Amino acid sequence: MKEDELENFTPYLLNRIMVRYNKGVEETLKAAGVSVPQMRTLTVLEKRGSCTINELSVLTVIKQSTLSRTLDALEDMDCVRRETDAFDSRIRKIHLTDRGRSLCAQTWPQMKGMEEKMLASLTPDQQRAFNSMLKCILYDIRHHNL
């Protein structure tokens, strides 16, 4: 494989971009006392509302075993609480607490700042078009309706 072939391989580029993005926000999150998976979990709960573990696993792109440990840590930090579903006792819903909401509010501006830095070479129209294309790709390859 030639180097330019790799540099034009979309999954490779997307992966490199996300690794750099996560590395950039790690320092901010570390200062706030949370990891990237923990913040991803808090952000999904803050933006989407309460979720089941299955839904969270899909939306956070975290394997369920890792997500369970992430939720344990967040529960210990009083950022989330697990409750049995009122209609089906087999289902547990994950809810964001006031502390979790506050932590999101504290770190979200830095995460958005890293996004702005990452997309700085694109015009606002290009950014919207890029996000639109990414959503099309995601919807085409997803295995869930989330």
Side-chain angles (χ1 to χ4, degrees):
M1 181 184 286
K2 297 177 186 168
E3 184 178 337
D4 64 328
E5 205 174 348
L6 185 58
E7 290 294 319
N8 289 304
F9 185 58
T10 304
Y12 172 76
L13 293 171
L14 290 170
N15 191 49
R16 286 194 63 195
I17 289 166
M18 285 316 303
V19 166
R20 289 302 315 140
Y21 173 83
N22 285 335
K23 203 71 168 149
V25 296
E26 260 179 12
E27 292 303 313
T28 297
L29 297 179
K30 190 181 291 185
V34 293
S35 67
V36 171
Q38 289 170 340
M39 192 60 215
R40 212 179 305 153
T41 302
L42 292 174
T43 302
V44 166
L45 290 170
E46 205 278 324
K47 303 297 180 196
R48 301 242 348 185
S50 300
C51 295
T52 66
I53 292 175
N54 289 342
E55 291 167 337
L56 266 180
S57 181
V58 171
L59 295 169
T60 60
V61 195
I62 300 173
K63 290 181 183 177
Q64 280 198 15
S65 58
T66 303
L67 181 59
S68 282
R69 289 189 299 275
T70 300
L71 291 171
D72 288 343
L74 289 171
E75 205 166 31
D76 289 346
M77 297 164 59
D78 192 33
C79 290
V80 300
R81 72 178 187 285
R82 302 176 212 208
E83 291 182 4
T84 303
D85 186 78
F87 302 104
D88 188 340
S89 62
R90 296 169 297 172
I91 297 174
R92 302 207 51 199
K93 288 276 212 171
I94 312 304
H95 301 271
L96 196 60
T97 64
D98 288 341
R99 169 129 168 68
R101 204 169 278 100
S102 173
L103 199 49
C104 254
Q106 174 189 341
T107 55
W108 183 249
Q110 288 86 358
M111 293 174 67
K112 286 297 287 177
M114 275 300 298
E115 178 194 38
E116 289 168 11
K117 182 177 177 183
M118 177 177 70
L119 300 175
S121 64
L122 304 178
T123 67
D125 285 342
Q126 289 172 322
Q127 289 177 25
R128 282 189 291 281
F130 180 62
N131 278 343
S132 179
M133 286 184 269
L134 289 174
K135 286 181 210 173
C136 287
I137 294 166
L138 176 63
Y139 297 151
D140 283 348
I141 68 168
R142 68 186 176 175
H143 292 87
H144 308 280
N145 288 329
L146 299 173

